[in-house]
Amino acid sequence: MTEETTTQQPMNRVEGTVSALLFRNEENGYTVLKLQCGQVGEITAVGCMPGIAPGEELELEGSWGHHPSYGEQFKAEVVVRRMPVGERAIFQYLASGAVKGVRMGLARQIVDKFGEQALEILEREPEQLTQLRGVSLKRARAIGEAFREQMGMRRLADFLGAHQLPLSAAMPLYRRFGDLAVQVVEDNPYVLSDRGLDIPFSQVDALAISLGVPGDDPQRIEAALLFELQHNADNGHVFLPQNKLLAATAALIGVEGDCLEQGLEELVERGEVIREDIAGVTACYPAGLYEAERYVAMRLGQMCQGEMLPPEGLDGLIDRIQAGQGIVYASQQRRAVELAARSQVMLLTGGPGTGKTTSLRGVLALFDALGLETALAAPTGRAAKRMSETCGQEARTIHRLLETKLDPYTGQLAFTKNRDDPLAADAVIVDETSMVDISLMAALLSALRGECRLVLVGDPDQLPSVGPGNVLDHLLRSNVVPRVTLTEIFRQARESAIVMNAHGVNQGQTPDLTNRGRDFFYLGRATPARTVETVVELCRDRLPRHMGIPADQIQVLTPTRRRGAGTAALNRALQEALNPPAPDKRERAFGQFTFREGDRVMQVKNNYDLFWENPETGEKDLGVFNGDIGVILEVDTGGITVSYDGRVAAYPAQMLGELELAYAVTVHKAQGSEYRGVVLALSDVPPSLLTRGLLYTAITRARELLVVVGSGELLAQMTANDRQARRYSALRTRLLRELEDMA
């Protein structure tokens, strides 16, 4: 499908009567409908139009686009709704089935009895419908409730549209507040900044000011304080020092003085913010993150004290496991298996080529020999798939292990598995633990039974989690969680330039760019344009032809999204080269992207209620998560269908903002994944991203081949820069405090 966006065409206007609904997404209100426009005839209109029903009069502003199969379509950006006026129009509206429980026969009775007052009767006095033949009091009330819901949704959508707010917020707002939604928003516009509605604070604040909310109003100040805490949580911080929170909020809304401190006091009194002196600062936490950090420290402190009784003849058991696997463990690997036999919780860390996979298999074999039911998990789908392949046992994402669900009222994530309904597993092994944030770790720990064992596997030199906290780092620095750190690089791994350069970078040694090995190459390019051009040549021609790696198994990485060699420029060029337009490929423009059948795409936010199914296995579930990469199977009038390694999910058009092209992705987005071939574009990178940890993470994404294209000088700068951005978290302090209290 090809659609022009509103920035590409002038706004047009159409008006008419809704004659039919072709598609509606009940979660976000995206609708495809037929509109009868008088002498113009019937047109197809698409857009976010929650609660629209046949028979309604619409006035739409937007732009025209052309679908290769369905012809012209009108993309509505502004929607003005008018209820039918006059007995004939009201009858047509009711007879269309717009109101649940009303069909043609009853519609005729209603209009004959109540005339032009029919709709008012439905909303305000539905009990009067009992005067009609065949209508009981129960049925009358049900019809009235259905009509009131429709009217409530209509008023809410009208309110949002009038204030240039996204209509996609109408459905979740109505689910949360019902008929009172408009009144609630007018009383406190800052409810729109709640999680799950995804309306930028700047828009919400502008609405509040336009509605007459004073600049120093307590609602505004409290909302700004909460926004700053959440914004910084999205940047990795579990808390903010009080002085930094107040300063950031003052800069955000242009308010200073005692009113900020008073607003913070109110939030603390209500328990929405938890304030505590810890780690040398006065820390201000969002309540949920405070509970998560406190619980992780408490639970892991208990597990550190929980020594398990090793089986008799442990040495002999490990010898039999070795024989069964046809290997002899190195001393550190054997120690890892021994520690797993004695400890309720342990850390297993190490870089590439140090035998983490062999050690992990040994621990799993030990648990099997002890008769333990073991669950394998990882933070991302690709990491879980790789874990399944290396261990020979199904691994799931942590979200799927815990059975993710979304609270329809709050829009917040919840898990079916928790302390009230724990996992049946006797042991849980988690890979890529560096990616696990404090909230997810708390959720996992709460779902473990009292005696359940936990093995956390990871590489501490990779980038920290996208979410708040730096869990693995704090656990390691606490020096109280039993651990084995693998340091020996095995002979086979030493033959890999990828592995040796990764370890060299970790020690501050810039890769030797003149020494071309079998799996590590450097191609110097002086400009971003030449870098992009070379990356395209590598992916389209040179690597598939000379290295035997197909283009769909090559992942381009870059530190940055923007600039001349960022993901935006690379994706445009790679899409044109690898999946150009063709008569048999439908496509659809959305925002900065044109999505085409066959494109590689990435989900860029967690969506816990997006349905998917695997046609081959029959498996069905909810949830597609940030960082999942798939391929577009189909583009049609309703949206886009994407396959994630066989899991097929359908995206209505209004949800396309959750997808991006993924021929090139940032190093952060690639964390937890591994690819046969990686091309790393290094050109015109912002100084803040020139870090050793980012370069190390990029190198370790490659399994068979890594090609660095761009500036050798930037490579050297990244290697030399061991700076790590500080994250405000007190997990280490809390864990040490917990163990002191237990002593």
Side-chain angles (χ1 to χ4, degrees):
M1 178 187 293
T2 302
E3 287 183 355
E4 297 295 327
T5 64
T6 56
T7 58
Q8 296 170 313
Q9 281 194 353
M11 293 283 278
N12 295 291
R13 177 177 296 181
V14 298
E15 57 182 289
T17 304
V18 179
S19 54
L21 294 181
L22 304 181
F23 172 83
R24 172 186 288 160
N25 183 290
E26 296 295 343
E27 291 299 317
N28 55 35
Y30 180 80
T31 303
V32 182
L33 55 80
K34 289 291 186 180
L35 194 68
Q36 183 62 47
C37 301
Q39 294 182 349
V40 175
E42 194 173 59
I43 68 168
T44 301
V46 301
C48 188
M49 296 178 274
I52 292 287
E56 285 196 56
E57 299 285 332
L58 299 184
E59 183 179 311
L60 308 178
E61 290 186 19
S63 58
W64 289 97
H66 186 82
H67 185 284
S69 300
Y70 301 101
E72 279 194 313
Q73 295 182 330
F74 189 83
K75 181 181 178 183
E77 301 291 341
V78 178
V79 181
V80 178
R81 307 165 66 172
R82 294 191 295 269
M83 291 301 291
V85 176
E87 292 188 10
R88 180 177 179 181
I90 292 173
F91 169 71
Q92 290 177 332
Y93 170 68
L94 294 176
S96 70
V99 180
K100 186 177 180 181
V102 179
R103 293 293 181 265
M104 185 174 293
L106 183 55
R108 173 54 63 195
Q109 288 193 70
I110 292 173
V111 174
D112 287 347
K113 176 68 175 177
F114 302 111
E116 294 189 6
Q117 303 301 311
L119 300 183
E120 185 175 341
I121 292 295
L122 288 181
E123 184 173 12
R124 302 182 185 279
E125 301 178 76
E127 292 81 5
Q128 291 199 40
L129 296 180
T130 57
Q131 301 174 42
L132 306 177
R133 185 178 65 257
V135 180
S136 65
L137 180 61
K138 180 179 179 181
R139 184 182 179 190
R141 287 174 174 168
I143 292 171
E145 180 64 27
F147 185 70
R148 278 194 299 273
E149 179 177 335
Q150 193 179 106
M151 290 301 98
M153 178 64 71
R154 175 179 177 272
R155 294 187 184 100
L156 178 57
D158 289 348
F159 176 85
L160 294 174
H163 293 283
Q164 291 79 51
L165 294 169
L167 294 179
S168 57
M171 298 296 284
L173 273 172
Y174 193 83
R175 284 198 300 268
R176 193 177 305 184
F177 301 115
D179 292 338
L180 298 175
V182 172
Q183 180 181 331
V184 169
V185 173
E186 288 180 329
D187 290 343
N188 181 9
Y190 293 100
V191 299
L192 294 173
S193 59
D194 288 353
R195 291 293 257 189
L197 297 177
D198 297 325
I199 301 178
F201 180 83
S202 58
Q203 278 188 265
V204 176
D205 197 40
L207 169 65
I209 297 300
S210 73
L211 293 176
V213 175
D216 60 352
D217 187 277
Q219 287 181 342
R220 182 174 189 243
I221 289 170
E222 291 170 18
L225 288 163
L226 292 174
F227 167 77
E228 280 296 340
L229 286 175
Q230 186 56 61
H231 174 73
N232 281 278
D234 292 341
N235 288 329
H237 300 293
V238 182
F239 68 82
L240 280 184
Q242 178 171 307
N243 61 332
K244 291 186 178 294
L245 172 60
L246 294 174
T249 306
L252 175 69
I253 60 175
V255 174
E256 297 181 355
D258 294 342
C259 57
L260 289 174
E261 294 188 13
Q262 292 170 1
L264 180 57
E265 292 296 332
E266 285 293 325
L267 291 171
V268 170
E269 280 193 27
R270 293 204 304 268
E272 294 183 58
V273 173
I274 307 298
R275 184 170 54 196
E276 180 180 350
D277 290 334
I278 192 166
V281 299
T282 301
C284 295
Y285 288 82
L289 293 183
Y290 172 81
E291 291 300 330
E293 186 177 85
R294 186 190 60 79
Y295 181 76
V296 169
M298 181 270 292
R299 188 69 196 275
L300 286 178
Q302 294 172 345
M303 296 177 77
C304 286
Q305 298 292 310
E307 279 198 36
M308 314 301 286
L309 186 65
E312 291 187 16
L314 177 59
D315 284 341
L317 175 58
I318 295 176
D319 290 341
R320 291 193 295 274
I321 291 173
Q322 288 183 133
Q325 295 180 338
I327 58 173
V328 176
Y329 295 140
S331 60
Q332 291 176 338
Q333 293 173 324
R334 187 177 184 102
R335 192 158 64 85
V337 180
E338 292 172 348
L339 187 61
R342 293 186 168 91
S343 304
Q344 187 176 5
V345 61
M346 66 169 287
L347 304 174
L348 174 60
T349 67
T354 58
K356 281 203 308 291
T357 297
T358 298
S359 302
L360 194 157
R361 287 178 182 150
V363 171
L364 181 58
L366 170 75
F367 289 165
D368 287 344
L370 297 178
L372 303 179
E373 181 179 339
T374 305
L376 305 183
T380 68
R382 284 182 171 259
K385 182 180 180 182
R386 190 172 76 249
M387 193 181 189
S388 298
E389 293 168 350
T390 57
C391 292
Q393 177 178 319
E394 182 191 11
R396 289 176 282 178
T397 64
I398 300 173
H399 289 87
R400 289 193 63 206
L401 179 70
L402 300 180
E403 300 178 12
T404 308
K405 63 181 180 180
L406 199 68
D407 187 319
Y409 179 77
T410 65
Q412 298 299 304
L413 169 68
F415 295 104
T416 299
K417 293 300 178 183
N418 50 43
R419 67 191 75 184
D420 298 321
D421 182 19
L423 295 166
D426 302 305
V428 174
I429 302 176
V430 178
D431 199 7
E432 297 286 356
T433 304
S434 63
M435 298 181 66
V436 180
D437 64 35
I438 194 69
S439 298
L440 190 55
M441 181 59 72
L444 175 64
L445 290 170
S446 72
L448 302 185
R449 294 183 299 178
E451 297 298 313
C452 184
R453 304 175 191 231
L454 178 64
V455 179
L456 301 174
V457 184
D459 183 345
D461 295 311
Q462 290 186 24
L463 295 171
S465 59
V466 174
N470 197 349
V471 175
L472 181 59
D473 176 71
H474 277 240
L475 297 184
L476 287 168
R477 289 196 297 111
S478 72
N479 290 316
V480 295
V481 182
R483 67 175 174 183
V484 171
T485 299
L486 304 173
T487 57
E488 180 184 353
I489 305 174
F490 290 94
R491 181 180 58 80
Q492 184 177 357
R494 288 184 178 275
E495 297 174 0
S496 166
I498 294 174
V499 171
M500 298 311 295
N501 277 315
H503 285 279
V505 164
N506 223 9
Q507 297 164 14
Q509 301 169 8
T510 303
D512 182 357
L513 304 183
T514 63
N515 182 15
R516 298 194 172 195
R518 291 177 299 176
D519 60 357
F520 186 103
F521 298 89
Y522 167 72
L523 300 175
R525 296 295 183 266
T527 66
R530 283 288 293 131
T531 297
V532 172
E533 183 181 321
T534 302
V535 168
V536 170
E537 291 173 0
L538 288 167
C539 295
R540 182 186 56 204
D541 303 315
R542 295 165 63 178
L543 298 185
R545 183 182 303 134
H546 300 298
M547 305 301 293
I549 303 179
D552 62 0
Q553 296 182 37
I554 300 168
Q555 183 61 59
V556 176
L557 303 182
T558 178
T560 182
R561 294 172 59 85
R562 298 179 178 83
R563 302 200 179 193
T567 57
L570 285 163
N571 273 315
R572 284 193 298 270
L574 288 164
Q575 182 190 42
E576 183 66 24
L578 301 177
N579 191 33
D584 62 339
K585 290 181 181 178
R586 290 179 291 186
E587 61 183 41
R588 184 185 192 113
F590 188 92
Q592 62 179 308
F593 300 107
T594 295
F595 295 112
R596 185 174 299 134
E597 290 175 342
D599 276 336
R600 188 188 307 177
V601 292
M602 173 182 280
Q603 172 79 12
V604 295
K605 62 180 290 187
N606 288 335
N607 188 324
Y608 303 104
D609 55 358
L610 181 60
F611 174 81
W612 60 263
E613 62 180 323
N614 188 322
E616 292 188 5
T617 65
E619 185 182 13
K620 300 178 181 180
D621 207 342
L622 296 174
V624 180
F625 303 110
N626 187 0
D628 286 353
I629 291 181
V631 175
I632 295 177
L633 298 180
E634 184 179 7
V635 176
D636 59 29
T637 187
I640 287 176
T641 302
V642 180
S643 173
Y644 295 99
D645 294 323
R647 296 178 295 122
V648 178
Y651 289 76
Q654 197 65 23
M655 290 174 56
L656 296 186
E658 298 185 10
L659 291 174
E660 292 183 358
L661 292 177
Y663 297 99
V665 302
T666 64
V667 177
H668 282 85
K669 288 289 188 183
Q671 192 171 356
S673 298
E674 188 178 73
Y675 313 94
R676 281 191 66 188
V678 167
V679 177
L680 175 61
L682 285 182
S683 182
D684 192 22
V685 179
S688 61
L689 296 176
L690 295 174
T691 66
R692 183 184 299 175
L694 191 144
L695 177 59
Y696 175 82
T697 301
I699 293 172
T700 54
R701 299 310 91 205
R703 184 168 69 248
E704 296 180 19
L705 176 70
L706 173 67
V707 183
V708 180
V709 182
S711 167
E713 182 181 342
L714 292 182
L715 196 70
Q717 288 180 38
M718 296 177 82
T719 304
N721 182 11
D722 196 24
R723 176 185 57 82
Q724 297 182 1
R726 179 184 180 187
R727 289 188 168 193
Y728 290 111
S729 172
L731 177 60
R732 173 177 172 271
T733 301
R734 290 189 190 282
L735 182 56
L736 293 172
R737 182 189 293 176
E738 285 287 336
L739 291 170
E740 287 176 5
D741 292 343
M742 293 177 187

